[in-house]
Amino acid sequence: MNQALEVIILAAGQGTRMKSALPKVLHAIGGEAMLARVYRTARLLEPKHIHIVYGHGADLVRERLGHLDAVWTLQDRQLGTGHAVAQAMPKVGDDSRVLILYGDVPLIEAQTLDRLVDAAADALAVLTIELDNPTGYGRVVRDRDGRVQRIVEQKDASAEERAIREINTGLLAVDAARLRGWLERLDNHNAQGEYYLTDIIAMAVEDGVVINTVSAPDIEQVSGINDRQQLATLERALQQRQARQLMLAGVTLLDPARFDLRGELSVGRDVIIDVNVVIEGRVVLGDNVTIGANCMLKDVEIGAGTEIKPMSIIESAVIGAGAHIGPFARIRPETRIADGAHIGNFVEVKKSDIGAGSKVNHLSYIGDTTMGAKVNIGAGTITCNYDGANKHRTVIGDGVFVGSDTQLVAPVTVYDNATIGAGSTITKDAPAGELTLSRSKQVTINGWKRPGKKSSDK
Ligand code: UD1
Ligand code: CA
């Protein structure tokens, strides 16, 4: 196609049935505002511009999605789909082809849109689908030879027309110059007193323009969201679609119905994901990574062969190859865990580097720490990184052994191969290769007796 493509996304409607303070098009599907998802799909067609017609909740929509590379057009009053498209037209060139999308029809796919745009060569192309129950939709009226004559809205349709099962999805593509002419002639003399975009079909027929219909491959792609039940239904449909794609790409999902991806996941070979895993943001899993049940991963990169055991929560972290994390580990932002490291149960790590092969296996807090390789941190060790006002760093060299129940009061450095005796509170740097400890000596009080109950208390 050498004609430039201009996409117009209609997103001004109110969405009353969401019963929400949030404009409908900002409600999330797959972790992303539905309008942003439609925009992203439109981008795949490489259009010249993407126009967004917005209105209801205008300030919030611009605040949340203003970063999208779109031409924003405010539709102050929602006078109908035809009126909405007309608002965007002054910024659309006559020599282009226009594709109209809805901001609340989020699961439309680029392949379908490609077919629709292609079908609009010297024609008007409408995306339609046959429904067992077409109630509420505009119906596609054809003549005896099957040629489309017009689209009639439910509220304006005769009983005979209401029996038609082929419906208008609302998505269409057409030449800009022609569209402009038809929009100028629209009126609102109909049951809803609205400027119907659908009225351009009959005008096109009158002008001798061919109407092509493209049939939508499945109902989910053209389903609109009006309430939270429909939102949940389409969320499931999206998750199933994503799960299917991942399995086809070679991922084992122990139960595709219990897997949620709200973002982008890229995977190596033979990744295994157990049930109830939630993945958000951008996650990269290397070859042979396994993710245990009930884990949450957000913006994480995990190297080959690493095992994330159940119930672990990992956010904004990079984890090397052959590492073992969890069960019950919490890895917080700005953490890097090198190859072969072990982070065990009830261990929290924040803004820290954990060197290769180092082990923090039980019940610890490691924050603002730089830890070398082959370190062993005993159970119950805490880096005291906060003095009540400021955060300080703990530096731990290679080969250090920290005994259980130790507090490292930052700022503090434990040099290479140092050993810290169990139960110590370390407030000063510990030298390399030596044993440092800070506990008081163990004593035994000979003949000491436990207090007994006083006889008068009986
Ligand atoms: C529209 C179609 C109908 C089709 C149905 C599919 C018309 C007249 N009717 O009906 O044939 O079967 O979609 O779902 O086109 N919008 C604006 N500004 C407005 C009005 C609407 O931006 O002034 C937006 C809405 O936010 C929504 C989309 O356009 O994203 C469709 O509007 P909606 O009111 O849902 O159209 P329907 O009456 O359902
Ligand atoms: Ca609708």
Side-chain angles (χ1 to χ4, degrees):
M1 191 188 75
N2 15 12
Q3 217 180 1
L5 178 66
E6 302 260 8
V7 175
I8 300 176
I9 305 175
L10 303 188
Q14 184 168 9
T16 322
R17 279 178 282 164
M18 295 300 282
K19 308 241 166 85
S20 175
L22 197 66
K24 176 164 75 174
V25 289
L26 292 183
H27 280 262
I29 183 152
E32 178 181 34
M34 58 177 101
L35 174 56
R37 184 175 183 87
V38 174
Y39 168 90
R40 218 157 41 77
T41 304
R43 266 278 152 252
L44 298 174
L45 306 179
E46 300 180 349
K48 188 168 170 206
H49 299 111
I50 296 176
H51 303 257
I52 298 177
V53 180
Y54 69 115
H56 184 79
D59 292 345
L60 212 49
V61 171
R62 282 303 290 270
E63 186 187 309
R64 298 273 181 92
L65 299 179
H67 61 278
L68 300 181
D69 180 16
V71 181
W72 293 87
T73 299
L74 186 67
Q75 186 195 23
D76 259 329
R77 293 169 58 215
Q78 284 81 61
L79 303 180
T81 48
H83 179 263
V85 172
Q87 305 313 298
M89 288 308 286
K91 295 173 199 155
V92 171
D94 259 345
D95 50 355
S96 51
R97 192 173 297 178
V98 174
L99 169 66
I100 292 165
L101 306 180
Y102 286 179
D104 59 359
V105 178
L107 297 194
I108 188 69
E109 289 192 56
Q111 261 182 324
T112 306
L113 296 178
D114 269 332
R115 284 168 50 216
L116 186 63
V117 170
D118 288 347
D122 292 315
L124 188 160
V126 186
L127 189 66
T128 71
I129 192 167
E130 288 211 7
L131 296 181
D132 292 337
N133 178 9
T135 308
Y137 292 97
R139 310 295 207 283
V140 178
V141 181
R142 293 175 184 267
D143 67 11
R144 281 205 199 115
D145 302 321
R147 283 180 304 225
V148 174
Q149 292 303 294
R150 58 198 177 92
I151 289 174
V152 63
E153 292 304 296
Q154 164 90 19
K155 288 184 178 146
D156 302 282
S158 64
E160 200 183 330
E161 286 162 344
R162 287 183 186 189
I164 298 171
R165 289 178 35 236
E166 185 187 11
I167 64 103
N168 169 37
T169 66
L171 280 54
L172 61 85
V174 69
D175 182 74
R178 283 181 165 141
L179 175 61
R180 197 187 315 280
W182 298 324
L183 289 172
E184 278 161 11
R185 287 161 49 203
L186 283 184
D187 63 45
N188 60 356
H189 306 151
N190 51 53
Q192 302 183 78
E194 285 181 7
Y195 295 89
Y196 289 166
L197 178 63
T198 42
D199 284 351
I200 68 168
I201 312 299
M203 294 179 186
V205 170
E206 208 172 288
D207 288 353
V209 173
V210 175
I211 314 290
N212 288 326
T213 55
V214 170
S215 138
D218 55 67
I219 180 70
E220 285 83 17
Q221 282 199 43
V222 295
S223 294
I225 292 175
N226 296 304
D227 58 35
R228 297 192 199 233
Q229 215 177 318
Q230 290 166 340
L231 178 61
T233 302
L234 284 200
E235 176 72 30
R236 276 307 101 206
L238 171 62
Q239 292 304 340
Q240 274 166 23
R241 187 201 278 180
Q242 294 182 145
R244 216 161 36 232
Q245 285 163 355
L246 283 167
M247 291 186 290
L248 290 173
V251 176
T252 297
L253 294 178
L254 272 92
D255 182 358
R258 284 181 289 168
F259 167 74
D260 285 85
L261 170 58
R262 302 174 193 147
E264 254 176 77
L265 172 61
S266 52
V267 289
R269 292 177 76 103
D270 296 311
V271 164
I272 299 175
I273 299 177
D274 208 334
V275 300
N276 295 329
V277 169
V278 177
I279 291 186
E280 294 185 356
R282 254 168 225 271
V283 171
V284 180
L285 304 179
D287 293 347
N288 299 302
V289 165
T290 66
I291 310 291
N294 302 314
C295 286
M296 299 187 68
L297 310 181
K298 181 176 185 183
D299 297 318
V300 178
E301 219 180 294
I302 299 178
T306 286
E307 183 182 0
I308 311 294
K309 293 184 185 133
M311 320 286 175
S312 295
I313 300 179
I314 308 177
E315 182 179 352
S316 300
V318 177
I319 297 172
H324 295 259
I325 310 291
F328 296 101
R330 175 151 187 234
I331 314 289
R332 292 171 52 199
E334 293 183 59
T335 294
R336 282 175 297 264
I337 295 174
D339 296 353
H342 291 204
I343 304 294
N345 36 228
F346 309 109
V347 172
E348 175 179 352
V349 184
K350 185 215 82 172
K351 209 173 183 177
S352 293
D353 284 282
I354 308 294
S358 288
K359 295 178 181 170
V360 189
N361 272 331
H362 330 267
L363 299 159
S364 288
Y365 172 63
I366 305 296
D368 302 303
T369 296
T370 305
M371 187 186 297
K374 297 229 155 70
V375 170
N376 198 310
I377 301 287
T381 295
I382 292 168
T383 55
C384 310
N385 58 331
Y386 186 54
D387 61 13
N390 297 297
K391 299 277 170 70
H392 302 281
R393 285 200 80 76
T394 298
V395 178
I396 300 172
D398 294 339
V400 166
F401 182 100
V402 176
S404 297
D405 193 25
T406 291
Q407 298 91 51
L408 300 166
V409 182
V412 71
T413 298
V414 180
Y415 289 94
D416 289 355
N417 300 310
T419 301
I420 305 296
S424 295
T425 301
I426 301 296
T427 54
K428 293 186 292 247
D429 291 357
E434 306 289 353
L435 170 65
T436 299
L437 68 165
S438 76
R439 61 174 115 92
S440 51
K441 276 219 173 84
Q442 179 169 330
V443 293
T444 302
I445 314 289
N446 286 319
W448 180 83
K449 291 241 166 7
R450 288 184 191 171
K453 291 219 164 162
K454 286 189 191 136
S455 52
S456 60
D457 287 350
K458 271 183 195 164

